[in-house]
Each structure stands twice: as structure tokens, then as C-alpha cells.
Amino acid sequence: MTSKNTICLWYDGTALDAATFYAQTFPDSAVGAVHRAPGDYPSGKQGDVLTVEFTVMGIPCLGLNGGPAFQHSEAFSFQVATDDQAETDRLWNAIIDHGGQASECGWCKDKWGLSWQITPRALIAAVTDPDPAAAKRAFDAMMKMTKIDIAAIEAARRG
């Protein structure tokens, strides 16, 4: 790894599966080196995949097969800025349709429990509108959504 700062994500034996899914789903993503354990460890045996180096949209990550002791939480998520409804739908559906779970306001979890915010740029523009009434209308509309509907957000923003 060449990056000085890398996100380490804990998995229960599925780091390579997760990294492969991310690389196939998100642009500028790839699986790098796969490192096997040189000896037995608490959640695996010698030769098992211990770590996987990968990037998600250019962000360096390390998947650690550390076992079931620690689970992902909503306290950490990837926020993905999308340019249009087609990109929003494609990424959202890829996560949900691959064993993930929908949540509220553009949030979802992948099958490994990692949280994602699939966030259209139009949503950010709407909820940060300099007109407080327009921003509130867009925000209120977002609060009723699971996957973000850009047309509904823009309609709410316009009033």
C-alpha cells in the first residue's frame, strides 16, 4: 500500500467477496493485493485470506478478516455523490439487490453491514439552497424517502 492513510474495514471471512463486489459496482474501484495468513489466528487458519487491499472510488481500503467480534455500524459510511437518477438507481439497486437493506434518506446497508449514503448532488444543492423555505421543503421531502427521488426533491424545492 502506498497511501499513508487507509480505511480498515473488518469482515468475518468475507473481505475478498466484499472487495470484489465494490470493485464491480463502483467506478474507480479495484481489488489489489490479497494476503494470506502466515499462521493460524483466532478467526482463521494458516493460508486463509487475512487482508485484502482494495479501493472504493479512489479511496484506499484494507479488508481485514478479523472474525465476528466487531460489526459495522452506521457511525461509519461511504457517501456516494451521484449525478442523476439513473446513477442513483443503479448504485442503490446494486447494493439492495445483492443482499443489502434499504434505510431512510438515501441510506442503505450492503450484505456485509457496511452503510452507504447514495446521495444525488441535486439533493445536496436543494437542502443547502440559500432560500430557507426551499431548503426546508426539500429536506422534508427527503425525510420521507428511502432511495432519493431527484424529481420529487426538485419539485419540493420549487414549492
Side-chain angles (χ1 to χ4, degrees):
M1 282 204 163
T2 59
S3 179
K4 195 166 185 127
N5 187 8
T6 300
I7 295 170
C8 182
L9 299 168
W10 190 289
Y11 294 90
D12 185 11
T14 58
L16 183 56
D17 292 337
T20 301
F21 172 73
Y22 305 147
Q24 293 171 348
T25 303
F26 298 99
D28 194 22
S29 300
V31 176
V34 176
H35 302 282
R36 299 195 173 270
D40 292 350
Y41 60 107
S43 62
K45 302 278 184 212
Q46 179 178 351
D48 289 351
V49 173
L50 180 61
T51 61
V52 179
E53 296 177 22
F54 61 100
T55 57
V56 177
M57 295 170 289
I59 299 171
C61 299
L62 180 74
L64 169 66
N65 282 327
F70 300 107
Q71 303 294 311
H72 296 289
S73 95
E74 291 82 355
F76 175 88
S77 65
F78 281 104
Q79 184 180 55
V80 181
T82 56
D83 292 323
D84 55 32
Q85 193 66 53
E87 184 181 21
T88 301
D89 293 348
R90 183 184 74 76
L91 296 177
W92 176 275
N93 293 337
I95 292 169
I96 300 304
D97 294 347
H98 194 77
Q101 176 183 349
S103 190
E104 299 173 345
C105 305
W107 290 69
C108 56
K109 284 185 184 179
D110 65 27
K111 73 185 263 179
W112 301 278
L114 188 61
S115 291
W116 297 83
Q117 299 176 60
I118 308 301
T119 309
R121 293 179 197 282
L123 172 65
I124 301 303
V127 300
T128 60
D129 191 298
D131 176 356
K136 181 167 182 353
R137 287 190 303 269
F139 182 81
D140 290 345
M142 176 202 66
M143 293 299 292
K144 298 174 186 163
M145 296 179 183
T146 51
K147 179 177 63 177
I148 301 301
D149 178 337
I150 295 172
I153 291 294
E154 289 175 342
R157 183 181 187 183
R158 288 188 303 273

